[in-house]
Amino acid sequence: MSRSRPSPLPFNVLSSPARRMAMATLLLGCPLAVQAQDDVAQSDTVVVTATALKVAMPLAETPRSVSSVSREELDERNVQSLDETFRYRSGVSSGYYGADNNTNWLKVRGFDQATYLNGLRLYSPGYYQWTPEPYGLERVDVFKGPASILYGEAPSGGIVNAVSKRPTEEVQGEIEIQAGNRQHRQFAFDTSGPVTESGDVRYRMVGLYKERDGDLDGTYNKRYYFAPSLEWDISDDTQLTVLASFQKDDGVPENPFKLAYGTLENTPFGKVDPETNYGAPSYDKDERTQLGIGYELQHYLDDTWKFEQNFRYSHLDLDLRSTYIMSSLIQGSERTANRGHLQRNGDIDSFTIDNRMVGKWYTERTENTLLVGVDYQDLSLDGKEFDDFTYDTVDAFDPDTSIVPLDSSQLFGRHIDKQQLGLYVQDQLRIDDRWVLLGSVRHDSADVKNTRQDISVTVDETQSATSFSGGVMYLGDNGVSPYLSYTESFRPQAQTAANGAIFQEIEGKQWEAGVKYTPSSWDGYVSAAVFDIEESNSFVTQPTGEQQQGGETTSTGFELEGVGYLTDSLQLTAAYTYTDMRNENDQRKELIPRHQASAWLDYDFTAGAVEGLTLGGGVRYVGKTVASPSPFNSIDDDVPSYTLYDVMARYDFDAHWTAQVNVNNLTDEEYVASCDFYCYYGESRSVIGSLKYRW
């Protein structure tokens, strides 16, 4: 029995073969670029809309770039980490550091992204990384471009908003087991439904255990995850949703840092094996526990006004020991390099609250939506740290992975406090069902205090900024909607430079022009955009791994993205990205390819002997990149482009049982993903089989 498929958009399936062929040609052959998920919102809980405007508005009618990956697609591609999510979307780079089992590496329009969970910031300063579990998510959205107007602290390229699974009105559940290469094992469950006979109280429980070896010798990770949630219709006008999660990770961290010598470049000793580990797996460790609990409250005051409040408290506890090779050989040596060693032992406590008033009213020719909000963020980090960039030495071609343990008395204390208050106003005006005008303003004030015991420095200062945003869009009868927008970002800094001084706030500005195509006669969307971003006070990473601020970074580019059904059973997802990112000296930025392209096709057999079978496959192309500009290193060669292939096969035995196999990097391509001061091999082939029972 074939499982029914939800539409990527609430539109009818395209019926005209000529239109199907035309759309296929546009998806595959359009030379320009773009993005934006044109999902139509039906309620305020649709986070695609919340990610764009924090109010329930169809994204097809908003002059902002947002892409979304649904639960169905996460399942179809068996996404194991957050940075695998957007492999088939435009504007997002991932995998440039190869495999990493304790950090999600994503860049949006060339810049590091910030991660949000249910619209609230996840604090991840330095190595204290909060890593959302994909199995506990309903969808993942990416807002492309500066987003401070609604979210306060935000990088210049954009944000990723992960959306937790929620209670459902109907009883449903699933149990899943997985097994794969690199000793992958997983058991997961997800059950949901009403608690009371009337259905006014609903629950959901999601749980998981998984473990897997890393790409590097001696590395692994084990994870325990549990996420209960409860939803209560207090009255016809008031609803409360409580969301909680607990996650514990234990393992040996992957440090994919390698030299250009032996990876990108040939040597008299041959190439370095991609599985080579320069760390100390018998001593290194990564133990982290993350706990979050919060709620979402909404109350209708009358037919015009609604009050919304989101709150979350988060706690992260980290005990990290990590050893890595430095970025060059010791002078005069052909094989030997220094190894660095770091330790972080501490915890983060943070809470965030966002209060909003949403008003909507109409005239004969207009529809007006006003959003007024105030949010507050509080971060406290208390930890012990150690950094030594020349802790010992290692043979780059025959590493000894032992290490002399560190005396705990060598750790120094660090304490960070940050409080940020933001006030924002946004107004969206729709005129004659043809024009959409959007304008907003936000003011943020952040108090930052950072104490480092190793250099006996305490810095206490206030950073503030006012951000503006605006946009205009024309809604065409044929589904073609061009738009123009301007956005800004503000990013206060809680980290310090090597001398103890707190970094200055980072500010970004973007102009974007695009078009969204969502015809009512076709089950899909296509979107295209051109953008120009300028960032001030950008970070520059030094060969030692330390960061400095200076100068301006620019990113300009084109994006193209489309998702749609070419027939009732054949779906195409395609994307193309062109990005030209440069530093203050007009040199190309490392890690960022000029060209990226991807396409995924899946076909659902609905009749005959193979009814219930779904086959899928994708190709991912990443163009060549450059290393960090000299004089910081001696990597003179460009990093070559590479192409990877993914496949999937699923069989629905009946309405309850499903078996599936996913293979990423089908040919087990050995490639260098990128270089900055170091070089990084890309992730090896992944094979995972799963068996799922649903009710």
Side-chain angles (χ1 to χ4, degrees):
M1 178 178 177
S2 178
R3 188 174 58 196
S4 62
R5 57 163 177 79
S7 299
L9 287 172
F11 297 144
N12 294 327
V13 174
L14 184 65
S15 57
S16 165
R19 286 201 194 98
R20 290 174 184 162
M21 183 60 67
M23 186 52 59
T25 302
L26 178 60
L27 282 168
L28 294 173
C30 181
L32 294 178
V34 78
Q35 126 20 6
Q37 170 76 6
D38 300 328
D39 203 3
V40 176
Q42 301 298 325
S43 72
D44 290 349
T45 61
V46 178
V47 180
V48 173
T49 297
T51 301
L53 296 176
K54 284 192 177 178
V55 292
M57 291 289 178
L59 280 181
E61 301 175 5
T62 59
R64 297 277 173 81
S65 286
V66 177
S67 290
S68 183
V69 176
S70 67
R71 179 69 251 169
E72 183 188 35
E73 186 174 346
L74 294 172
D75 286 336
E76 183 173 85
R77 293 196 284 107
N78 198 2
V79 169
Q80 292 291 314
S81 62
L82 195 67
D83 51 10
E84 296 180 13
T85 304
F86 298 106
R87 287 175 171 175
Y88 291 92
R89 294 296 187 274
S90 66
V92 183
S93 301
S94 63
Y96 42 88
Y97 289 144
D100 196 334
N101 58 8
N102 66 358
T103 306
N104 291 300
W105 297 107
L106 288 164
K107 290 182 181 290
V108 182
R109 293 184 170 175
F111 297 92
D112 292 335
Q113 54 80 37
T115 303
Y116 283 67
L117 180 63
N118 303 319
L120 298 176
R121 182 77 163 95
L122 289 174
Y123 292 108
S124 298
Y127 294 90
Y128 294 83
Q129 293 290 313
W130 186 292
T131 55
E133 167 52 47
Y135 186 75
L137 303 178
E138 192 61 42
R139 66 193 307 144
V140 187
D141 306 320
V142 56
F143 184 121
K144 302 174 188 178
S148 284
I149 199 65
L150 294 177
Y151 294 99
E153 177 181 1
S156 303
I159 67 168
V160 170
N161 185 32
V163 182
S164 300
K165 290 179 175 178
R166 310 299 175 95
T168 59
E169 295 181 357
E170 302 295 329
V171 175
Q172 66 177 46
E174 68 177 30
I175 296 175
E176 181 183 44
I177 57 173
Q178 293 185 357
N181 67 335
R182 304 207 303 268
Q183 302 298 312
H184 175 85
R185 288 173 286 181
Q186 177 174 310
F187 172 79
F189 67 88
D190 178 3
T191 178
S192 180
V195 175
T196 60
E197 288 189 14
S198 64
D200 61 337
V201 180
R202 300 167 292 279
Y203 83 99
R204 191 160 190 169
M205 290 188 181
V206 182
L208 169 143
Y209 168 80
K210 68 178 175 183
E211 60 179 82
R212 194 177 201 188
D213 291 344
D215 259 359
L216 304 185
D217 294 332
T219 61
Y220 70 92
N221 188 69
K222 296 181 180 179
R223 174 171 294 176
Y224 306 85
Y225 174 81
F226 181 63
S229 58
L230 192 71
E231 193 169 75
W232 178 23
D233 297 332
I234 301 174
S235 70
D236 292 341
D237 297 323
T238 308
Q239 184 182 80
L240 175 68
T241 303
V242 179
L243 301 161
S245 67
F246 170 84
Q247 182 174 309
K248 182 173 177 58
D249 288 88
D250 296 309
V252 174
E254 291 186 83
N255 283 316
F257 308 102
K258 289 183 170 62
L259 311 183
Y261 184 75
T263 57
L264 190 64
E265 303 166 352
N266 292 317
T267 77
F269 313 102
K271 290 291 187 73
V272 173
D273 190 294
E275 297 180 2
T276 300
N277 186 0
Y278 295 119
S282 62
Y283 181 69
D284 290 350
K285 67 176 180 177
D286 177 29
E287 298 179 357
R288 71 184 64 210
T289 301
Q290 56 190 51
L291 169 69
I293 185 168
Y295 64 82
E296 298 177 356
L297 174 68
Q298 63 176 20
H299 174 70
Y300 286 88
L301 283 73
D302 52 35
D303 292 339
T304 301
W305 289 98
K306 177 175 64 171
F307 172 72
E308 298 176 335
Q309 184 181 79
N310 292 5
F311 170 84
R312 186 178 64 246
Y313 165 77
S314 303
H315 175 82
L316 186 145
D317 186 86
L318 174 69
D319 188 0
L320 174 68
R321 297 199 295 244
S322 186
T323 309
Y324 55 93
I325 194 172
M326 289 305 295
S327 59
S328 60
L329 295 174
I330 295 175
Q331 188 173 4
S333 171
E334 291 186 307
R335 300 175 60 104
T336 307
N338 285 311
R339 279 199 311 182
H341 182 72
L342 66 88
Q343 294 195 18
R344 299 290 186 271
N345 191 340
D347 53 60
I348 291 177
D349 288 289
S350 64
F351 69 85
T352 303
I353 187 166
D354 186 9
N355 305 277
R356 305 182 293 276
M357 289 291 294
V358 181
K360 181 175 290 190
W361 58 90
Y362 306 85
T363 69
E364 184 177 347
R365 297 180 54 195
T366 66
E367 174 185 327
N368 196 87
T369 303
L370 178 65
L371 171 68
V372 180
V374 55
D375 60 30
Y376 178 75
Q377 308 171 25
D378 188 286
L379 164 71
S380 176
L381 184 154
D382 192 10
K384 298 288 187 178
E385 301 183 2
F386 175 84
D387 284 286
D388 189 338
F389 303 112
T390 57
Y391 192 80
D392 59 14
T393 61
V394 66
D395 187 324
F397 297 90
D398 186 21
D400 179 359
T401 58
S402 63
I403 193 172
V404 176
L406 178 72
D407 187 333
S408 60
S409 64
Q410 295 179 261
L411 274 68
F412 66 86
R414 181 193 291 275
H415 187 80
I416 297 175
D417 284 309
K418 185 178 74 171
Q419 296 84 35
Q420 182 175 338
L421 179 67
L423 305 171
Y424 57 92
V425 179
Q426 173 184 272
D427 189 69
Q428 185 180 45
L429 179 64
R430 181 184 175 117
I431 305 173
D432 293 334
D433 288 333
R434 280 290 175 267
W435 292 95
V436 176
L437 305 178
L438 181 67
S440 45
V441 61
R442 177 185 175 108
H443 181 77
D444 285 283
S445 178
D447 294 320
V448 183
K449 184 177 181 180
N450 193 322
T451 300
R452 289 182 57 171
Q453 293 180 353
D454 60 328
I455 53 178
S456 300
V457 170
T458 297
V459 180
D460 191 351
E461 64 178 49
T462 298
Q463 303 173 5
S464 63
T466 300
S467 306
F468 297 91
S469 176
V472 58
M473 174 179 258
Y474 177 78
L475 307 177
D477 282 334
N478 56 1
V480 177
S481 302
Y483 68 91
L484 175 69
S485 68
Y486 172 79
T487 54
E488 296 181 347
S489 65
F490 164 73
R491 191 178 172 193
Q493 298 301 308
Q495 297 295 311
T496 61
N499 62 2
I502 288 184
F503 291 122
Q504 297 299 305
E505 63 269 21
I506 297 173
E507 297 182 348
K509 301 177 180 180
Q510 174 188 266
W511 283 98
E512 177 180 317
V515 60
K516 302 182 181 185
Y517 180 58
T518 56
S520 59
S521 59
W522 186 66
D523 194 3
Y525 76 89
V526 179
S527 59
V530 56
F531 63 88
D532 181 55
I533 301 174
E534 294 182 1
E535 181 185 86
S536 59
N537 294 326
S538 300
F539 279 124
V540 178
T541 303
Q542 303 303 301
T544 59
E546 296 177 345
Q547 289 189 318
Q548 293 181 357
Q549 279 185 304
E552 180 181 86
T553 299
T554 62
S555 179
T556 59
F558 308 94
E559 296 169 354
L560 171 69
E561 180 177 304
V563 178
Y565 282 91
L566 307 182
T567 71
D568 289 357
S569 299
L570 180 65
Q571 184 185 26
L572 171 66
T573 301
Y576 168 75
T577 304
Y578 172 84
T579 308
D580 185 19
M581 191 172 187
R582 295 182 176 272
N583 65 13
E584 61 177 337
N585 299 317
D586 200 33
Q587 297 170 308
R588 282 186 61 194
K589 289 286 288 183
E590 66 277 8
L591 308 177
I592 307 302
R594 273 206 177 107
H595 302 279
Q596 291 186 99
S598 63
W600 177 278
L601 278 169
D602 58 79
Y603 187 83
D604 186 6
F605 294 85
T606 58
V610 291
E611 180 181 359
L613 176 66
T614 300
L615 298 178
V619 56
R620 294 178 277 135
Y621 169 80
V622 178
K624 66 180 181 180
T625 58
V626 300
S628 297
S630 55
F632 296 117
N633 64 34
S634 59
I635 305 175
D636 297 324
D637 298 329
D638 288 341
V639 181
S641 61
Y642 59 90
T643 303
L644 304 176
Y645 303 91
D646 307 324
V647 295
M648 180 277 296
R650 182 182 70 240
Y651 186 74
D652 298 327
F653 295 95
D654 53 31
H656 303 292
W657 289 96
T658 298
Q660 182 171 316
V661 177
N662 290 82
V663 184
N664 294 333
N665 189 2
L666 177 66
T667 61
D668 200 18
E669 180 79 9
E670 183 179 305
Y671 62 99
V672 176
S674 67
C675 295
D676 44 23
F677 309 106
Y678 302 88
C679 286
Y680 312 90
Y681 279 116
E683 187 172 2
S684 65
R685 177 166 53 208
S686 169
V687 183
I688 298 178
S690 59
L691 181 64
K692 183 180 295 184
Y693 177 77
R694 287 192 177 96
W695 67 88

